[in-house]
Amino acid sequence: NLGQQAEAAKAALRCFKAEPRLVPRTLLTLATIYASAFNAEDPNLAQSILTPEVKPSDTIETSAPQELVPVGFRDIMLTMDVYAKDRKVQGAGCQALLKAIEIPGVGLKALCRNGLLRSVTLAFQRFSKSHSVALSLCKVIGRIALADSSLISVEIGITALAAGITLPRDGAV
């Protein structure tokens, strides 16, 4: 079950925070789980790794449906913040965030509210020469812009252009 695997990877990520060599592997494991959910033929399989967005406790309850986010999403961003100067962690984290937005049924607005764009842009600002970070940033911005361009600010768009310039010969950009 992908849901159990995602929970186990999230727990491993929390346990391995003191071991920087294992963190990128755990992030890539989450990215693989997210990619498996994207490629799954059964839509229930993808839904098994999604959880309702955590709301602040002081918000007024409404009857509006909650948007779904992948299991471990906030842990990925927290890990990227903790290891802000580690290029491998930033690259693996960006790849995991890229795979997270591809999961069917995920709420893009919820991901953006929880810091998706902040994490990928800060990773690019720190490691602008990293191919995986720049490529992930371009793909994340492109997918969000196609789905809902109102989520992208001018500053984020300029950062994506800067990332695209660093990869002039890459056909994926």
Side-chain angles (χ1 to χ4, degrees):
N1 181 344
L2 280 181
Q4 293 172 340
Q5 291 176 2
E7 288 290 343
K10 179 177 94 170
L13 187 59
R14 289 180 178 178
C15 292
F16 293 158
K17 281 203 178 116
E19 188 59 48
R21 290 175 299 156
L22 297 176
V23 170
R25 293 177 185 173
T26 309
L27 289 169
L28 292 174
T29 300
L30 273 170
T32 303
I33 292 169
Y34 295 162
S36 297
F38 172 70
N39 295 326
E41 294 178 11
D42 183 13
N44 292 329
L45 197 57
Q47 293 297 316
S48 70
I49 66 168
L50 296 177
T51 183
E53 175 188 19
V54 177
K55 299 278 186 177
S57 60
D58 60 348
T59 59
I60 299 172
E61 294 294 322
T62 62
S63 61
Q66 285 186 305
E67 291 191 63
L68 301 174
V69 296
V71 169
F73 177 74
R74 283 188 164 188
D75 293 289
I76 294 169
M77 293 184 305
L78 178 64
T79 303
M80 289 175 72
D81 289 343
V82 170
Y83 291 104
K85 295 182 180 178
D86 190 324
R87 182 185 55 81
K88 289 182 179 182
V89 170
Q90 297 299 310
C94 284
Q95 288 180 4
L97 293 175
L98 172 63
K99 297 302 179 187
I101 66 170
E102 295 177 342
I103 301 170
V106 74
L108 282 180
K109 288 182 181 179
L111 296 180
C112 291
R113 272 193 304 269
N114 283 294
L116 169 70
L117 296 174
R118 179 190 62 83
S119 292
V120 293
T121 54
L122 286 178
F124 176 71
Q125 289 172 0
R126 291 179 191 118
F127 300 101
S128 59
K129 297 206 184 322
S130 170
H131 183 271
S132 64
V133 170
L135 188 59
S136 295
L137 172 69
C138 290
K139 287 183 176 182
V140 165
I141 300 298
R143 291 209 171 95
I144 292 173
L146 287 174
D148 187 359
S149 61
S150 68
L151 298 173
I152 307 291
S153 67
V154 173
E155 294 83 9
I156 301 277
I158 291 171
T159 304
L161 286 174
I165 290 171
T166 64
L167 305 166
R169 295 185 180 171
D170 195 334
V173 178

Short mmCIF file of all heavy atoms in Angstrom, two decimals, residues 39-65:
data_model
loop_
_atom_site.label_atom_id
_atom_site.label_comp_id
_atom_site.label_asym_id
_atom_site.label_seq_id
_atom_site.Cartn_x
_atom_site.Cartn_y
_atom_site.Cartn_z
N ASN A 39 1.62 7.40 -11.56
CA ASN A 39 1.56 6.39 -12.62
C ASN A 39 0.56 5.27 -12.35
O ASN A 39 0.37 4.41 -13.20
CB ASN A 39 2.95 5.78 -12.85
CG ASN A 39 3.93 6.80 -13.36
OD1 ASN A 39 3.57 7.70 -14.11
ND2 ASN A 39 5.18 6.68 -12.96
N ALA A 40 -0.06 5.26 -11.19
CA ALA A 40 -0.98 4.18 -10.83
C ALA A 40 -2.23 4.20 -11.70
O ALA A 40 -2.78 5.26 -11.99
CB ALA A 40 -1.38 4.30 -9.36
N GLU A 41 -2.65 3.03 -12.11
CA GLU A 41 -3.87 2.92 -12.90
C GLU A 41 -5.11 3.05 -12.02
O GLU A 41 -6.16 3.49 -12.47
CB GLU A 41 -3.89 1.60 -13.65
CG GLU A 41 -2.81 1.51 -14.71
CD GLU A 41 -2.80 0.17 -15.41
OE1 GLU A 41 -3.74 -0.62 -15.24
OE2 GLU A 41 -1.83 -0.09 -16.14
N ASP A 42 -4.99 2.64 -10.77
CA ASP A 42 -6.10 2.69 -9.83
C ASP A 42 -6.10 4.06 -9.13
O ASP A 42 -5.15 4.39 -8.42
CB ASP A 42 -5.96 1.58 -8.79
CG ASP A 42 -7.11 1.53 -7.80
OD1 ASP A 42 -8.15 2.19 -8.06
OD2 ASP A 42 -6.98 0.84 -6.79
N PRO A 43 -7.14 4.89 -9.31
CA PRO A 43 -7.16 6.21 -8.67
C PRO A 43 -7.18 6.15 -7.15
O PRO A 43 -6.74 7.08 -6.48
CB PRO A 43 -8.42 6.87 -9.22
CG PRO A 43 -9.22 5.79 -9.83
CD PRO A 43 -8.31 4.66 -10.14
N ASN A 44 -7.67 5.05 -6.59
CA ASN A 44 -7.68 4.92 -5.13
C ASN A 44 -6.26 4.80 -4.58
O ASN A 44 -6.02 5.16 -3.42
CB ASN A 44 -8.52 3.71 -4.70
CG ASN A 44 -9.98 3.92 -5.00
OD1 ASN A 44 -10.47 5.05 -4.97
ND2 ASN A 44 -10.68 2.85 -5.29
N LEU A 45 -5.35 4.29 -5.38
CA LEU A 45 -3.96 4.16 -4.95
C LEU A 45 -3.34 5.54 -4.74
O LEU A 45 -2.64 5.77 -3.75
CB LEU A 45 -3.17 3.36 -5.97
CG LEU A 45 -1.84 2.79 -5.53
CD1 LEU A 45 -2.01 1.88 -4.31
CD2 LEU A 45 -1.20 2.01 -6.65
N ALA A 46 -3.63 6.46 -5.66
CA ALA A 46 -3.12 7.83 -5.51
C ALA A 46 -3.77 8.52 -4.32
O ALA A 46 -3.11 9.27 -3.60
CB ALA A 46 -3.37 8.62 -6.79
N GLN A 47 -5.04 8.27 -4.11
CA GLN A 47 -5.74 8.90 -2.99
C GLN A 47 -5.22 8.41 -1.64
O GLN A 47 -5.37 9.10 -0.63
CB GLN A 47 -7.25 8.65 -3.09
CG GLN A 47 -7.91 9.33 -4.27
CD GLN A 47 -7.82 10.84 -4.19
OE1 GLN A 47 -8.03 11.42 -3.14
NE2 GLN A 47 -7.49 11.47 -5.31
N SER A 48 -4.61 7.23 -1.61
CA SER A 48 -4.14 6.67 -0.34
C SER A 48 -2.97 7.44 0.26
O SER A 48 -2.70 7.30 1.45
CB SER A 48 -3.76 5.19 -0.52
OG SER A 48 -2.57 5.07 -1.28
N ILE A 49 -2.27 8.25 -0.54
CA ILE A 49 -1.15 9.02 0.02
C ILE A 49 -1.50 10.49 0.22
O ILE A 49 -0.64 11.29 0.55
CB ILE A 49 0.12 8.88 -0.84
CG1 ILE A 49 -0.06 9.52 -2.20
CG2 ILE A 49 0.57 7.47 -0.94
CD1 ILE A 49 1.23 9.67 -2.96
N LEU A 50 -2.76 10.84 0.00
CA LEU A 50 -3.20 12.23 0.20
C LEU A 50 -3.90 12.35 1.54
O LEU A 50 -4.62 11.45 1.97
CB LEU A 50 -4.12 12.67 -0.93
CG LEU A 50 -3.49 12.71 -2.32
CD1 LEU A 50 -4.53 13.09 -3.37
CD2 LEU A 50 -2.32 13.67 -2.37
N THR A 51 -3.69 13.47 2.18
CA THR A 51 -4.30 13.75 3.48
C THR A 51 -4.85 15.18 3.45
O THR A 51 -4.34 16.02 2.70
CB THR A 51 -3.26 13.57 4.60
OG1 THR A 51 -3.88 13.78 5.85
CG2 THR A 51 -2.10 14.52 4.45
N PRO A 52 -5.89 15.48 4.22
CA PRO A 52 -6.42 16.85 4.23
C PRO A 52 -5.36 17.84 4.72
O PRO A 52 -4.55 17.53 5.59
CB PRO A 52 -7.59 16.78 5.21
CG PRO A 52 -7.97 15.35 5.27
CD PRO A 52 -6.71 14.58 5.03
N GLU A 53 -5.40 19.03 4.14
CA GLU A 53 -4.47 20.09 4.51
C GLU A 53 -4.68 20.46 5.97
O GLU A 53 -5.81 20.60 6.43
CB GLU A 53 -4.71 21.32 3.62
CG GLU A 53 -3.90 22.52 3.99
CD GLU A 53 -4.30 23.77 3.20
OE1 GLU A 53 -5.40 23.80 2.65
OE2 GLU A 53 -3.49 24.69 3.19
N VAL A 54 -3.59 20.63 6.69
CA VAL A 54 -3.67 21.03 8.09
C VAL A 54 -3.97 22.52 8.13
O VAL A 54 -3.26 23.33 7.53
CB VAL A 54 -2.35 20.73 8.82
CG1 VAL A 54 -2.41 21.22 10.25
CG2 VAL A 54 -2.04 19.26 8.76
N LYS A 55 -5.03 22.88 8.85
CA LYS A 55 -5.42 24.28 8.98
C LYS A 55 -4.97 24.79 10.35
O LYS A 55 -4.90 24.03 11.31
CB LYS A 55 -6.95 24.42 8.88
CG LYS A 55 -7.52 23.97 7.56
CD LYS A 55 -7.40 25.03 6.55
CE LYS A 55 -8.13 24.58 5.28
NZ LYS A 55 -8.14 25.56 4.27
N PRO A 56 -4.69 26.08 10.45
CA PRO A 56 -4.39 26.64 11.77
C PRO A 56 -5.57 26.44 12.71
O PRO A 56 -6.73 26.47 12.29
CB PRO A 56 -4.16 28.12 11.49
CG PRO A 56 -3.88 28.22 10.04
CD PRO A 56 -4.58 27.06 9.39
N SER A 57 -5.29 26.25 13.98
CA SER A 57 -6.36 25.94 14.93
C SER A 57 -7.29 27.12 15.18
O SER A 57 -8.40 26.93 15.67
CB SER A 57 -5.75 25.47 16.26
OG SER A 57 -4.94 26.49 16.79
N ASP A 58 -6.88 28.33 14.84
CA ASP A 58 -7.73 29.48 15.10
C ASP A 58 -8.64 29.86 13.93
O ASP A 58 -9.32 30.87 13.99
CB ASP A 58 -6.89 30.68 15.52
CG ASP A 58 -5.89 31.10 14.45
OD1 ASP A 58 -5.70 30.32 13.49
OD2 ASP A 58 -5.33 32.19 14.58
N THR A 59 -8.67 29.07 12.88
CA THR A 59 -9.54 29.38 11.76
C THR A 59 -10.97 28.95 12.05
O THR A 59 -11.21 28.02 12.81
CB THR A 59 -9.07 28.69 10.45
OG1 THR A 59 -9.06 27.29 10.67
CG2 THR A 59 -7.69 29.17 10.05
N ILE A 60 -11.88 29.64 11.44
CA ILE A 60 -13.29 29.33 11.59
C ILE A 60 -13.62 28.16 10.69
O ILE A 60 -13.27 28.14 9.51
CB ILE A 60 -14.16 30.55 11.22
CG1 ILE A 60 -13.83 31.71 12.16
CG2 ILE A 60 -15.63 30.20 11.27
CD1 ILE A 60 -14.48 33.01 11.77
N GLU A 61 -14.27 27.17 11.25
CA GLU A 61 -14.63 25.98 10.47
C GLU A 61 -15.69 26.35 9.43
O GLU A 61 -16.67 27.02 9.75
CB GLU A 61 -15.18 24.89 11.39
CG GLU A 61 -14.15 24.34 12.34
CD GLU A 61 -13.05 23.60 11.62
OE1 GLU A 61 -13.32 22.90 10.63
OE2 GLU A 61 -11.89 23.72 12.07
N THR A 62 -15.48 25.91 8.23
CA THR A 62 -16.45 26.11 7.17
C THR A 62 -16.83 24.76 6.59
O THR A 62 -16.17 23.77 6.83
CB THR A 62 -15.87 27.00 6.05
OG1 THR A 62 -14.76 26.33 5.48
CG2 THR A 62 -15.46 28.36 6.57
N SER A 63 -17.87 24.76 5.82
CA SER A 63 -18.30 23.51 5.21
C SER A 63 -17.60 23.25 3.87
O SER A 63 -17.90 22.29 3.19
CB SER A 63 -19.82 23.52 5.01
OG SER A 63 -20.16 24.59 4.16
N ALA A 64 -16.67 24.14 3.51
CA ALA A 64 -15.94 23.96 2.25
C ALA A 64 -15.06 22.72 2.34
O ALA A 64 -14.47 22.45 3.38
CB ALA A 64 -15.09 25.20 1.96
N PRO A 65 -14.98 21.96 1.25
CA PRO A 65 -14.13 20.76 1.28
C PRO A 65 -12.65 21.14 1.43
O PRO A 65 -12.20 22.12 0.87
CB PRO A 65 -14.40 20.09 -0.07
CG PRO A 65 -14.91 21.19 -0.94
CD PRO A 65 -15.60 22.17 -0.04
#
